[in-house]
């Protein structure tokens, strides 16, 4: 019964152990599904299930019929045009990272958008080239083409004028990697393995994308400075590229450098204006488009290519090319790289999609996202595109300019299509340094994530450490190996968090039923003889030893050590009793000698094992109080603890190894007459212990209580009952010292069973 009194309440109920609660409140009979039941449900068919599957495979069927034309169409049109212009420029710029001609970046910005329009679940992300993926694909292109080059060298120089065979080979490798990564994503989606994204935390993704931004920055230096820099794909490659850049710095093309700097300054300034006055501007200023038009016009009008020997985009292929034929040899050589590209592409796209889904309150499906991205990459790679995901800046443009649905995405694809089939030739005189500068202008958001370090340090030091180590791994080892090392390190931090949990000793706050860490509050009350210990993590094979040590530190002694000392003392008392040196009288026990010497020989293994067994005093005519002074100065450590409460409310699971260790700990405490209780566990926890035969004559299933306060009240009532019984019986130890009798009263408790 609960009676409210203002902002207080009074609860009147009996003290519940888990068994008592189960007797009073019967559980429902529930039948848990077997694997066969799940298989039958999966294979069953109904109209409702077919409709649900169709809607999940084609999300467009759920949102397009509800499209609000009057409210959304204009916003989607404005957003689609703005996003399309950005997609064109980013497609050209990110193609340079893949080491393929810029025109192929338009295919990567077109085909995946069409597929995602029908199959994607996010309404706001803009699918297409992403600099991190472009870097990863470019690394594979360099590695594969360098091993098959006529010179047989491990590195190839990226020149402005590629011969046709080398160019076709690079495009083929990029397309094959894209198709293979798409196949991997599709298979993961079909097998419902979209949960893999949970292993890529926000801190890891932030650190990884920041490191990728550094890689992009370094990779674009050769285009800004127009230097011939060998491409490196092995660990420490970023430092080798920097070394190559600085050793050739005197060969810099001043025209390219000046153009790139002007573009960077203007784009950064206008973007700052867009950000500061976004509430007042109807649409953001399309500075990338403006600077592209100006730069292309100036380059063409003043013939920069001839006069200053600058590198330009060059011939733009008009229209589409036929699909390519898959090459199993490239598939075989790039399977590992493709898997990393598939996971990174999905992780980034899903992370951005999740941000917008939470902001606008609509669901997204990880498995369906894998299917949409996978088919987009397969389709795009087949037409000579490269791997796609979503660029944070491009998705931000689509959302900030008013995009409501993927109608904006399909309109952006139309803009890309117009450039591919009609006006692409206008971009031929555009300097590559301009594209590189535009790409760097979009990195500001990624580079600004350095500010995450301070925020994460204040919130969670482990997350901050993950960010830092991910950044270092990705910088030093490269993007592929860096991602693998980062995931491994992140999982290692999880092991450390659970292997070394912050256990604590609890006490009562303000004499209420609330129990907190006794170090945190001043008005704490710790019931005499009761220790309450909390473990805030799962208990498993790796941390059971740590749990044991922390528990012994909390109680202040090792129960096994106490048990062994008591057994040794009991052995001496038995010898004295057998030799008649201790006599039992109606008034108590009499020790008839002043001194007793016992051999202190070494114990064999069998005797040591016996010391670990329960104490049995049934053969003695008296009972020993181990906390009282024993005869003949037999010293055994005294302990004031009579009850131990373990708060397992945060323990989510136990494994078999930890169960054995936990049972041994319980037995050690029970054998020195310390009762052990467990609180806060659910029924499944207890059922698992029962299935694993955890309980026996020593460790009983009556040790479970619903709450800490239930256990404390039970212990207090039990001890009050024992104390009232003990007052009825008193005995005397009479010890013979110096030929006389010295009387000393001591309480000898009788064993009472409940």
């Amino acid at each position: 019964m609960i009676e409210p009194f203002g902002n207080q309440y009074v609860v009147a109920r009996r003290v519940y152990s888990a068994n008592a609660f189960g007797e009073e409140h019967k559980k429902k009979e529930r039948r848990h599904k077997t694997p066969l039941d799940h298989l039958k449900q999966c294979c069953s068919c109904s109209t409702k299930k077919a409709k649900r599957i169709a809607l999940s495979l084609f999300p467009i069927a759920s949102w397009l019929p509800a499209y609000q034309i009057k409210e959304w169409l204009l916003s989607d049109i404005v957003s689609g045009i703005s996003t399309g212009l950005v997609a064109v420029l980013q497609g050209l710029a990110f193609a340079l990272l893949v080491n393929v001609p810029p025109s192929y970046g338009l295919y990567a910005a077109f085909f995946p958008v069409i597929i995602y329009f029908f199959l994607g679940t996010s309404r706001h992300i803009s699918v297409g080239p992403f600099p991190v993926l472009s870097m990863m694909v470019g690394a594979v292109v360099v590695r594969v083409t360098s091993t098959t080059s006529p010179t047989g060298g491990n590195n190839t120089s990226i020149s402005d004028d590629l011969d046709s065979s080398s160019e076709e080979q690079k495009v083929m490798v990029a397309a094959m990697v894209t198709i293979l990564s798409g196949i991997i994503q599709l298979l993961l989606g079909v097998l419902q393995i979209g949960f893999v994204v949970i292993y890529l935390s926000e801190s890891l993704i932030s650190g990884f994308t920041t490191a990728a931004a550094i890689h992009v920055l370094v990779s674009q230096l050769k285009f800004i400075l127009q230097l011939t820099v060998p491409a490196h794909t092995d660990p420490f490659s970023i430092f080798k590229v920097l070394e190559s850049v600085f050793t050739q710095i005197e060969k810099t093309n001043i025209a390219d450098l000046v153009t790139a700097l002007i573009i960077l300054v203007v784009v950064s300034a206008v973007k700052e204006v867009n950000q500061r006055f976004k509430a007042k501007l109807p649409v953001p200023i399309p500075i990338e488009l403006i600077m592209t038009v100006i730069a292309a016009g100036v380059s063409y009008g003043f013939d920069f290519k001839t006069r200053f020997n600058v590198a330009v985009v060059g011939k733009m292929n008009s229209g589409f090319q036929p699909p390519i034929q898959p090459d199993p040899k490239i598939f075989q050589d790039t399977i590992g790289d493709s898997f990393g590209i598939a996971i990174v592409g999905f992780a980034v796209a899903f992370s951005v999609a999740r941000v917008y889904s939470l902001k606008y309150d609509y669901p997204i499906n990880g498995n369906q996202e894998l299917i949409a991205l996978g088919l987009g990459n397969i389709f795009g790679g087949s037409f000579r595109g490269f791997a796609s995901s979503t660029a944070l800046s491009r998705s931000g443009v689509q959302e900030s300019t008013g995009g409501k649905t993927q109608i904006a995405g399909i309109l952006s694809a139309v803009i890309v299509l117009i450039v591919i089939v009609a006006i692409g030739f206008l971009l031929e005189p555009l300097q590559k340094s301009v594209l590189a500068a535009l790409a760097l202008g979009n990195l500001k958001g990624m580079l600004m994530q350095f500010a995450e370090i301070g925020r994460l340090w204040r919130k969670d030091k482990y997350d901050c450490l993950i960010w830092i180590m991910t950044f270092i791994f990705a910088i030093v080892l490269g993007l592929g190996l860096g991602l693998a090392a980062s995931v491994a390190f992140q999982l290692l931090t999880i092991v450390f968090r659970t292997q070394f949990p912050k256990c604590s000793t609890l006490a009562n706050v303000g004499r209420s039923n609330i129990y907190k860490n006794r170090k945190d509050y001043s008005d704490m009350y710790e019931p005499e003889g009761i220790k309450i210990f909390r473990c805030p993590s799962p208990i498993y094979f790796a941390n059971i030893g740590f749990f044991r040590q922390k528990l012994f530190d909390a109680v202040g002694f090792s129960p096994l050590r106490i048990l062994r000392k008591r057994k040794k003392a009991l052995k001496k008392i038995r010898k004295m009793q057998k030799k008649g040196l201790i006599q039992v009288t109606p008034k108590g026990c009499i020790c008839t000698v002043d001194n007793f010497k016992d051999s202190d020989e070494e114990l064999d293994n069998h005797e040591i094992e016996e010391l670990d067994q329960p104490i049995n005093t049934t053969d003695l005519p008296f009972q020993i109080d181990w906390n009282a002074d024993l005869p003949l100065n037999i010293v055994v450590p005294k302990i004031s603890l009579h009850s131990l409460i373990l708060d397992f409310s945060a323990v989510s699971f136990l494994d078999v190894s930890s169960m054995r260790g936990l049972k041994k700990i319980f037995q050690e405490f029970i054998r020195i007459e310390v009762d052990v209780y467990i609180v806060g566990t659910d029924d499944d926890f207890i059922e698992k212990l029962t299935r694993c035969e955890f309980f026996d004559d020593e460790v009983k299933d009556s040790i479970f209580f619903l709450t800490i306060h239930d256990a404390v009240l039970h212990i207090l009532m039990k001890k009050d009952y024992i104390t009232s019984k003990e007052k009825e019986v008193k005995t005397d130890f009479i010890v013979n010292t110096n030929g006389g009798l010295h009387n000393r009263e001591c309480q000898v408790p009788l064993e009472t069973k409940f």
Side-chain angles (χ1 to χ4, degrees):
M1 180 179 67
I2 302 177
E3 296 183 5
F5 293 94
N7 63 348
Q8 300 179 352
Y9 65 89
V10 177
V11 179
R13 65 170 176 83
R14 60 175 294 191
V15 174
Y16 278 127
S17 66
N19 290 343
F21 185 83
E23 292 174 0
E24 185 170 325
H25 304 275
K26 299 299 181 182
K27 291 182 64 177
K28 292 182 179 179
E29 291 289 337
R30 290 195 302 162
R31 178 180 177 274
H32 297 282
K33 289 184 178 180
T34 64
L36 183 59
D37 294 330
H38 287 288
L39 182 61
K40 289 180 179 179
Q41 183 179 2
C42 182
C43 297
S44 63
C45 186
S46 65
T47 305
K48 185 177 180 180
K49 185 176 181 180
K51 182 180 179 180
R52 185 176 69 250
I53 294 175
L55 290 177
S56 65
L57 289 177
F58 298 96
I60 187 176
S62 61
W63 62 262
L64 188 58
Y67 188 81
Q68 302 176 23
I69 297 177
K70 293 182 179 180
E71 290 81 4
W72 294 351
L73 183 57
L74 181 60
S75 298
D76 280 341
I77 291 175
V78 174
S79 176
I81 294 174
S82 303
T83 307
L85 295 173
V86 174
V88 169
L89 299 175
Q90 289 189 348
L92 297 174
F94 297 155
L96 299 178
L97 300 177
V98 186
N99 299 298
V100 297
S103 59
Y104 290 93
L106 299 179
Y107 303 146
F110 175 73
F111 290 106
V113 178
I114 304 298
I115 301 298
Y116 194 85
F117 175 74
F118 294 99
L119 302 179
T121 58
S122 175
R123 302 176 190 174
H124 292 88
I125 67 170
S126 175
V127 179
F130 178 57
V132 175
L133 289 189
S134 301
M135 282 286 299
M136 297 177 75
V137 175
V140 180
V141 168
V142 171
R143 176 174 60 81
V144 174
T145 55
S146 64
T147 57
T148 58
S149 63
T151 59
N154 291 327
N155 297 319
T156 59
S157 298
I158 307 300
S159 62
D160 294 326
D161 300 318
L162 297 171
D163 58 75
S164 59
S165 60
S166 175
E167 177 183 301
E168 184 63 28
Q169 185 183 24
K170 291 177 183 293
V171 172
M172 174 65 74
V173 173
M176 290 299 103
V177 171
T178 300
I179 293 173
L180 185 54
S181 63
I183 293 173
I184 293 172
Q185 288 175 331
L186 179 61
L187 290 176
L188 292 176
V190 171
L191 296 175
Q192 304 289 292
I193 312 182
F195 67 87
V196 294
V197 74
I198 65 177
Y199 295 107
L200 301 175
S201 68
E202 180 182 345
S203 302
L204 186 146
I205 292 175
S206 176
F208 183 77
T209 53
T210 306
I214 301 297
H215 276 282
V216 173
L217 173 62
V218 172
S219 68
Q220 296 290 0
L221 290 177
K222 60 187 176 185
F223 300 109
I224 292 177
L225 305 176
Q226 200 189 136
L227 300 176
T228 302
V229 178
H232 301 275
T233 59
D234 52 340
F236 305 100
S237 60
I238 190 172
F239 304 107
K240 296 177 182 178
V241 171
L242 287 173
E243 179 186 8
S244 182
V245 167
F246 286 114
T247 55
Q248 303 180 65
I249 196 70
E250 72 279 358
K251 300 178 183 179
T252 298
N253 187 301
I254 302 301
D256 273 326
L257 176 60
V258 172
T259 303
L261 291 177
I262 293 174
I263 295 292
L264 277 173
V265 171
V266 174
V267 169
S268 299
V270 176
K271 280 183 174 290
E272 189 67 28
V273 172
N274 284 339
Q275 179 65 26
R276 184 167 297 184
F277 299 101
K278 62 180 180 180
K280 299 180 179 180
L281 292 173
V283 294
I285 301 173
I287 186 59
E288 291 93 345
L289 174 63
I290 295 173
M291 296 307 297
T292 301
V293 172
I294 295 174
V298 171
S299 177
Y300 176 77
F302 291 94
D303 195 12
F304 276 12
K305 181 179 181 181
T306 303
R307 294 180 62 182
F308 302 109
N309 195 29
V310 299
V312 297
V313 170
K315 183 173 178 56
M316 293 283 291
N317 296 325
S318 180
F320 298 98
Q321 301 184 34
I324 60 175
Q325 182 179 354
D327 188 341
K329 178 64 169 59
I330 299 179
F331 281 173
Q332 182 179 352
D333 294 340
T334 61
I335 179 66
D337 302 288
S338 299
F339 186 82
I341 291 169
I343 296 299
V344 173
F346 165 62
V348 173
F350 186 83
S351 300
V352 178
R354 182 168 54 186
V355 170
Y356 291 124
S357 71
L358 293 174
K359 182 177 181 180
Y360 293 99
D361 192 23
Y362 62 86
I364 56 173
N365 187 309
N367 294 311
Q368 184 62 24
E369 288 293 294
L370 274 170
I371 293 174
L373 293 171
L375 286 175
N377 279 326
I378 293 172
F379 204 72
S382 300
F383 286 91
R384 293 176 170 79
F386 49 85
S388 65
S389 176
T390 181
L392 284 72
S393 58
R394 193 171 61 251
S395 296
V397 169
Q398 181 166 318
E399 186 264 345
S400 63
T401 52
K404 304 297 183 184
T405 65
Q406 283 301 327
I407 294 291
I410 202 69
L411 291 175
S412 70
V414 172
I415 300 297
V416 178
L417 177 63
I418 293 173
V419 175
I420 292 175
V421 301
I423 62 174
F425 69 93
L426 296 176
L427 298 174
E428 291 180 359
L430 186 65
Q431 295 170 245
K432 288 185 177 180
S433 61
V434 173
L435 294 177
L438 291 173
L440 295 182
N442 289 314
L443 293 180
K444 180 183 177 183
M446 299 171 68
L447 293 173
M448 288 297 291
Q449 293 182 93
F450 275 111
E452 287 285 293
I453 298 177
R455 182 179 66 84
L456 289 174
W457 181 260
R458 292 190 297 270
K459 290 186 175 181
D460 190 298
K461 293 180 175 58
Y462 272 108
D463 280 342
C464 183
L465 185 61
I466 291 172
W467 196 103
I468 294 172
M469 295 308 298
T470 300
F471 179 81
I472 293 174
F473 287 146
I475 289 291
V476 175
L477 301 178
L479 296 178
L481 289 176
L483 178 64
S486 302
V487 173
F489 180 80
Q490 179 179 248
L491 296 177
L492 188 62
T493 63
I494 297 174
V495 173
F496 274 105
R497 292 192 200 205
T498 57
Q499 189 172 353
F500 305 106
K502 294 183 179 180
C503 301
S504 58
T505 302
L506 307 183
N508 186 279
V509 182
R511 300 270 181 166
S512 64
N513 65 336
I514 300 173
Y515 293 82
K516 296 287 186 180
N517 191 331
R518 65 179 181 180
K519 297 179 180 179
D520 292 340
Y521 299 89
S522 57
D523 54 338
M524 305 296 288
Y525 166 70
E526 193 168 11
E528 184 179 355
I530 302 175
K531 189 71 69 175
I532 306 170
F533 184 78
R534 183 176 186 271
C535 179
S537 75
I539 300 177
Y540 60 104
F541 65 93
N543 70 354
I544 183 64
F546 181 82
F547 170 81
R548 177 189 181 95
Q549 186 58 49
K550 282 294 185 181
L551 179 59
F552 292 171
D553 291 343
V555 299
F557 59 85
S558 168
L560 185 59
R561 180 172 172 269
I562 300 293
L563 178 64
R564 289 180 175 178
K565 287 188 175 292
R566 288 185 180 183
K567 296 275 286 195
K568 289 180 180 180
L570 183 61
K571 182 179 178 182
K572 291 183 180 181
I573 293 174
R574 281 200 178 102
K575 286 184 179 180
M576 294 171 62
Q577 196 266 336
K578 288 180 181 179
K579 292 180 179 181
L581 303 180
I582 294 180
Q583 297 179 3
V584 180
T585 69
K587 293 186 177 182
C589 302
I590 300 176
C591 181
T592 60
V593 295
D594 292 334
N595 210 351
F596 176 76
K597 293 184 179 180
D598 189 20
S599 60
D600 202 15
E601 69 274 6
E602 272 189 47
L603 300 173
D604 57 27
N605 290 334
H606 177 68
E607 289 176 315
I608 292 177
E609 290 179 1
E610 283 187 349
L611 292 180
D612 297 343
Q613 299 304 310
I615 296 176
N616 184 9
T617 59
T618 56
D619 59 327
L620 295 177
F622 52 86
Q623 191 167 354
I624 302 172
D625 182 359
W626 295 106
N627 285 325
D629 293 332
L630 299 178
L632 298 177
N633 297 323
I634 297 175
V635 178
V636 174
K638 301 176 182 180
I639 59 174
S640 59
L641 184 69
H642 57 71
S643 300
L644 174 64
I645 300 174
L646 300 177
D647 181 8
F648 278 6
S649 57
V651 177
S652 56
F653 70 87
L654 288 170
D655 65 353
V656 176
S657 298
S658 64
M659 284 185 194
R660 287 195 291 266
L662 198 62
K663 183 172 182 178
K664 184 172 179 60
I665 294 172
F666 288 2
Q667 289 174 334
E668 292 173 5
F669 277 105
I670 293 171
R671 289 168 184 175
I672 62 170
E673 300 172 359
V674 175
D675 297 328
V676 181
Y677 302 91
I678 300 177
V679 303
T681 61
D682 56 20
D683 295 337
D684 293 335
F685 188 95
I686 302 175
E687 290 173 4
K688 183 177 181 180
L689 294 180
T690 304
R691 290 196 305 270
C692 295
E693 300 179 351
F694 184 82
F695 306 109
D696 55 20
D697 293 338
E698 282 187 282
V699 183
K700 304 180 184 300
D701 62 357
S702 59
I703 63 176
F704 294 94
F705 282 79
L706 298 188
T707 67
I708 297 176
H709 206 56
D710 282 310
V712 170
L713 293 178
H714 169 80
I715 293 168
L716 295 178
M717 289 187 293
K718 179 179 177 180
K719 290 304 173 183
D720 287 343
Y721 179 76
I722 293 176
T723 302
S724 63
K725 288 293 185 181
E726 288 174 352
K727 290 179 180 178
E728 300 175 4
V729 180
K730 288 188 177 181
T731 61
D732 295 326
F733 274 123
I734 302 176
V735 184
N736 186 357
T737 56
N738 298 325
L741 292 180
H742 173 70
N743 294 338
R744 176 165 51 85
E745 289 187 358
C746 72
Q747 183 175 321
V748 184
L750 297 176
E751 183 178 356
T752 305
K753 296 183 179 180
F754 288 84

